[in-house]
Each structure stands twice: as C-alpha cells, then as structure tokens.
Amino acid sequence: MTRTAFFISDGTGITAESLGRSLLAQFSGVDITMLTKPYIDTVEKAEELAAIIEATADRDGVRPVVIDTIVDEDIREVIRAAPCFKVDIFSTFLAPLEQELATHSSYSVGRTHAIGSDDVYMDRIHSVHFALDNDDGARIHQYDEADVILIGVSRCGKTPTSLYLALQFGIRAANYPLTEDDQDEDGVLKLPRFLAEHHHKLFALTIDARRLAAIRNERRPNSRYSSMDQCLQEVEQAESLYRSLHIPSIDTTRFSVEEISTRMISETGLVRRFSPR
C-alpha cells in the first residue's frame, strides 16, 4: 500500500516533520511518500495546498495523511476541508495542557524555533564554528576548549556527529581520524600523546567494516583506502585500542546521527548548553 503524508506548518515545518516522521516510522508495512510544506501562513497558500491534497487523493485513490502545526484558525479550516486524514498537533496537545496548567496558550507562530536568548544563539554559532575548525584534527592546540573529542577511523561518522552535537546541544566537539600515521614501527595503532592528555574527553566511534568499505568506495572507488582488507584492519586495530585504553565507544553502523549523539550524551554525562530546537 502506498500513501502520501503532508507535514504542514505556518513556520519552518520542523516540528510537524520531526513528529510526523517519528509516528509514521512505526508503520513499516506501508510505503509512505512524505512531503513537507512550510510557511503556509495565508488563506491563499492554504487553498493552493488544499487543491494539491485533493489531487493527491484522486491520484492515490486514498486520502493523504496531513500532520500540521498550523496556528491560524482560518488556515486550519481550509486544510481541514480538504480530503485528508488530519492530525492537528496543536489542538491535540495544547487543549489538555491548557486545562492542566489553568491558562491559555499564546498560539504563537514560530514559537518553538525562535532565536530567543541571544546567549543561546551565540552559543550555537560558536559551537558550530568550533566543530568546523576542529574537524579531522585540524586544531589540536584547541583541545583544552573541547567538551568531547571524537576519535575513529576515516568515514565512520565523526564529522556529522560533531556538527549535530554543536547545532542541537551547544557541545564543543572536536574530532580526530585514526590513521596509519598513528601506528608505531611495528604497525600497531597507538594513541597520539596530544590525545592521551585529554583521555577523559575521548569518545570513540566504530563501524562495521563492510559498511565502511561501501562508504569509502563512493568516495574513492577501487582504491586501497576503500578495500575490504584495509577497512577490516583499521576497524580491528581501532577497536583493540579502545578496549585497551577503556575509551567508551559506539557502533555507528545502524544508528542515525541523532541516535549516536543522544546515546553519547547519556553514556558520558556531557552537559548540554541548551535543549535541541
């Protein structure tokens, strides 16, 4: 069965999409085409979208699912009249909360994703800049300022995880790639001295060698770098290093960057400078 789902908002659509994807992910037996429609902030835009929803229902032969965070009642009414199964996030959750808190919601457009505190905004910018500056061991002299230093073989997910930690939580994350340059004369992988000095900040990422070979092959096909033998050797040496030095680690093979980051925070007790947007 194929269905279409619309995530609709009069703001960025991030809340509707995030919650909608989480809900629909529970239905693995249904093939769902997901479409995000942000900034539906006028009746005219809503009417155009309602026509698209109706055309989609005619094409699919079944009504689309609509998950929305629309605030304006006139706009909500236009969408509600379209042939769809509608999940209204605000009306579903805000009404019970209003009753429990004995006060009325502000029903403000974009409230969730407003910049808000200048300090929080600047913290986010600084953290992202720090992650970019300290990508792939570029600024080892700045490790005193890092909250966490991610280590692992090339292409195991260090960079996206560092950026996600910075953007979502304000965590200063540096990352360093373990390569053949870190091996001793016997070919054994060793932890560089400048990392050993920050052992308490280290968190390791590992990955299945087959998955690593597939990722590397997209970047450098048919090379030693992407060969299965090379990937297997690097992963085994890195994991041996983590075990011998008691460095906490996570296997990134089947986890999203969101899961990697939140599991890392849970396991290490890293302090968030702010909550995710």
Side-chain angles (χ1 to χ4, degrees), residues 66 68-70 76 80 86-93:
V66 168
D68 81 84
T69 54
I70 299 291
R76 291 164 65 186
R80 189 180 295 119
K86 189 168 182 291
V87 179
D88 186 334
I89 294 175
F90 279 170
S91 65
T92 300
F93 295 108

Side-chain angles (χ1 to χ4, degrees), residues 195-212:
L195 286 179
E197 294 172 354
H198 299 283
H199 187 283
H200 63 291
K201 295 183 180 182
L202 300 182
F203 193 94
L205 303 185
T206 188
I207 189 172
D208 179 79
R210 288 167 295 184
R211 175 61 179 155
L212 180 62

Side-chain angles (χ1 to χ4, degrees), residues 4 9 17 30 45 64-65 78 91 99-100 110 117 122 126 173 201 205 212 215 246 260 263:
T4 301
S9 175
E17 181 176 349
V30 183
K45 290 181 181 179
V65 174
V78 172
S91 65
Q99 184 175 354
E100 177 64 25
S117 166
M122 293 310 298
H126 180 76
K201 295 183 180 182
L205 303 185
L212 180 62
I215 294 172
H246 305 289
I260 295 166
R263 284 173 182 267

Side-chain angles (χ1 to χ4, degrees), residues 67-136:
I67 298 175
D68 81 84
T69 54
I70 299 291
V71 171
D72 186 276
E73 183 58 37
D74 292 337
I75 296 175
R76 291 164 65 186
E77 188 59 37
V78 172
I79 300 299
R80 189 180 295 119
C84 61
F85 175 77
K86 189 168 182 291
V87 179
D88 186 334
I89 294 175
F90 279 170
S91 65
T92 300
F93 295 108
L94 285 182
L97 280 171
E98 287 176 334
Q99 184 175 354
E100 177 64 25
L101 299 175
T103 187
H104 290 292
S105 163
S106 64
Y107 286 87
S108 299
V109 177
R111 185 84 175 194
T112 305
H113 306 289
I115 288 178
S117 166
D118 287 341
D119 290 341
V120 169
Y121 180 72
M122 293 310 298
D123 245 337
R124 176 175 283 118
I125 297 302
H126 180 76
S127 298
V128 171
H129 284 170
F130 185 87
L132 292 171
D133 284 344
N134 287 274
D135 188 37
D136 270 351

